Amino acid sequence: PLAPSTRNDIRDCSADPPYLPPTAANTTARLAVLRGIMRTHSIHAYIVPSTDAHMSEYISERDARLSWLTGFSGSAGTAVVTQDKAALWTDSRYWTQAERELDCNWELQRTTSIKSMGMWILKVVPAEGNVSLDPFLFSIDTWNSYSRALHGSGRTLLPLETNLVDQAWGDQRPLPSSSEIYSLPAEFTGSSWQEKVAGIRQRMEQHVRRPTAVLLSGLEETAWLFNLRGDDIPYNPVFYSYTLLTNTTISLFMEESRLSAAARESLRAGCPGPLCVELQEYGQVSAHLRSYAQGNVTVWLGTEYTTYGLYAIIPQEKLLEENYSPVMMAKAVKNAHEQEMLRAAHVRDAVAVIQYLLWLEKTVPQGQVDEFSGAQHIDAFRWAQEHSRGPSFQSISASG
């Protein structure tokens, strides 16, 4: 056995009493509440991912369920909770961080393989037991992987549309963003949203399966299509939304009250008609999709950004599945104007970096810079540049 760690910044659950660093969260009460809710639903194991309902790489505080439940704040991980055990799976970037942030209620599993989670679940959940998750937080592929891992074991994979962590979190859960959703000026886009919609409808007509609708779940898809921006997620200019675009109608699911007056006017300018955007409540997307899917329709979607929850609403024979939606494919190819804007943005950013390097050369020899003040300084140089809306991720700062 390894000698007990001499480090005092990570937990030691084998000590008596267990040693926890000050960075570890106390999760005993949270787990007790969650387990009580699981019992009322007859659930033996509950799976909690680190993503949101749009498969976003970055998430808002409101969606940080894994972090709230476990104390672990890394960007990638999955937790599984049973009545008497709790485990967190994460990759090697985060093992030390997890040992600093988890208390001794949690086993750390140093892998992200769903096969490993499946084997752990089979060990701790009785045959005939229910393994549950929120289908609106798992991609289609991930759902299928869990399904395969439990197949033939007697355990049931049970989608539950009520999120049990949200129930346990209660009124302590952060509120959704209420900041303004605004139009990106034409000088940055190179094409109007009406032109983009026409382009996607053309792709629908040209597709051999002639889909009648495209469903957009990725937040950047809707933002790009309508030239709209928000700040619901730190470092990402997006807002919570879904879009269902048909040959003749456009349904945009979002918090309508947050639209700037100019943005609302731009979306409603074509009403009534095929370029009229019907604004619907964000939470209505499932009900709307269910009713649309009853008709003689074919819904085109990108499986990478669509959750199993939405996917399962549409009958299999009415689905056109590709890895990425036609909007994601169109967005990936920048028009000449967008290319020009990208280059100009990179020049402005290069100026900020050169100013920073010069500042470092002058300041480091004086012994006045640490990693934190250095990161703050480059952010300040970037903010000072024209058109800056902030960095695209938190500055990663290291020295030595």
Side-chain angles (χ1 to χ4, degrees):
L2 295 173
S5 166
T6 51
R7 295 175 60 160
N8 64 357
D9 66 335
I10 63 173
R11 63 184 185 158
D12 182 356
C13 296
S14 65
D16 188 21
Y19 170 73
L20 293 177
T23 45
N26 181 347
T27 63
T28 303
R30 293 168 189 186
L31 281 167
V33 175
L34 178 62
R35 285 169 170 148
I37 297 168
M38 286 165 61
R39 279 194 296 275
T40 65
H41 288 271
S42 307
I43 287 165
H44 298 90
Y46 192 62
I47 308 174
V48 182
S50 55
T51 186
D52 66 9
H54 303 272
M55 303 291 104
S56 306
E57 182 182 2
Y58 295 87
I59 56 171
S60 70
E61 285 194 354
R62 182 174 169 78
D63 283 315
R65 297 174 178 91
L66 186 75
S67 172
W68 175 81
L69 180 67
T70 64
F72 169 70
S73 62
S75 68
T78 305
V80 182
V81 177
T82 70
Q83 282 304 330
D84 55 358
K85 285 188 164 53
L88 173 81
W89 282 256
T90 190
D91 65 71
S92 57
R93 291 173 299 169
Y94 292 120
W95 292 345
T96 305
Q97 181 177 337
E99 294 286 12
R100 287 175 178 156
E101 294 181 330
L102 298 175
D103 64 9
C104 292
N105 288 310
W106 294 91
E107 295 170 24
L108 175 59
Q109 303 285 339
R110 296 166 187 260
T111 170
T112 53
S113 118
I114 289 179
K115 202 171 168 188
S116 148
M117 290 179 218
M119 284 163 65
W120 188 88
I121 287 169
L122 294 182
K123 258 194 241 148
V124 299
V125 171
E128 312 303 309
N130 289 326
V131 179
S132 199
L133 46 72
D134 177 344
F136 291 96
L137 293 181
F138 288 84
S139 70
I140 299 158
D141 280 353
T142 308
W143 169 275
N144 290 336
S145 301
Y146 281 114
S147 192
R148 279 194 297 273
L150 300 178
H151 182 72
S153 70
R155 282 85 175 167
T156 306
L157 189 59
L158 195 66
L160 253 198
E161 294 194 10
T162 312
N163 188 292
L164 304 191
V165 174
D166 292 352
Q167 278 196 324
W169 205 346
D171 57 11
Q172 297 302 298
R173 187 179 174 211
L175 294 169
S177 172
S178 56
S179 61
E180 186 174 73
I181 296 164
Y182 57 95
S183 288
L184 197 62
E187 67 195 88
F188 294 110
T189 61
S191 46
S192 68
W193 71 259
Q194 290 89 342
E195 289 166 331
K196 291 178 178 180
V197 164
I200 301 303
R201 282 177 169 156
Q202 196 177 351
R203 289 182 182 219
M204 290 161 68
E205 275 170 39
Q206 289 164 351
H207 198 288
V208 59
R209 293 257 329 258
R210 301 299 291 266
T212 59
V214 174
L215 174 66
L216 305 179
S217 290
L219 298 182
E220 64 269 44
E221 298 180 295
T222 290
W224 177 85
L225 184 63
F226 297 108
N227 294 331
L228 294 175
R229 298 292 185 268
D231 61 357
D232 291 15
I233 297 176
Y235 306 109
N236 290 260
V238 295
F239 53 94
Y240 286 104
S241 55
Y242 295 96
T243 300
L244 188 69
L245 173 66
T246 77
N247 311 356
T248 53
T249 64
I250 310 167
S251 300
L252 170 54
F253 300 86
M254 61 175 294
E255 205 52 62
E256 185 184 342
S257 60
R258 294 173 51 202
L259 271 174
S260 73
R264 183 191 310 260
E265 206 170 302
S266 144
L267 296 174
R268 305 290 293 160
C271 296
L275 286 171
C276 167
V277 179
E278 293 163 23
L279 296 165
Q280 310 224 23
E281 278 304 304
Y282 173 76
Q284 290 301 306
V285 65
S286 296
H288 185 93
L289 194 57
R290 192 168 278 115
S291 113
Y292 180 76
Q294 286 172 356
N296 179 20
V297 298
T298 303
V299 180
W300 191 0
L301 53 78
T303 53
E304 290 287 320
Y305 287 86
T306 308
T307 61
Y308 182 78
L310 283 181
Y311 172 82
I313 290 172
I314 307 160
Q316 203 61 45
E317 69 280 5
K318 296 179 181 183
L319 269 170
L320 166 56
E321 297 172 51
E322 289 177 3
N323 285 353
Y324 298 101
S325 77
V327 168
M328 206 56 110
M329 300 306 279
K331 173 184 172 291
V333 181
K334 305 303 178 192
N335 62 40
H337 188 73
E338 285 172 316
Q339 292 180 36
E340 192 187 315
M341 294 287 104
L342 279 169
R343 290 188 191 103
H346 277 284
V347 170
R348 292 194 298 273
D349 192 63
V351 170
V353 174
I354 292 163
Q355 289 173 325
Y356 179 59
L357 294 174
L358 183 66
W359 176 82
L360 279 180
E361 277 177 33
K362 285 181 181 167
T363 322
V364 168
Q366 300 164 18
Q368 296 298 305
V369 188
D370 61 25
E371 285 138 314
F372 184 69
S373 66
Q376 284 185 306
H377 233 85
I378 191 163
D379 285 350
F381 282 127
R382 286 182 159 140
W383 270 115
Q385 287 295 323
E386 193 186 4
H387 305 309
S388 172
R389 308 288 306 207
S392 61
F393 56 87
Q394 192 172 3
S395 289
I396 299 172
S397 180
S399 66

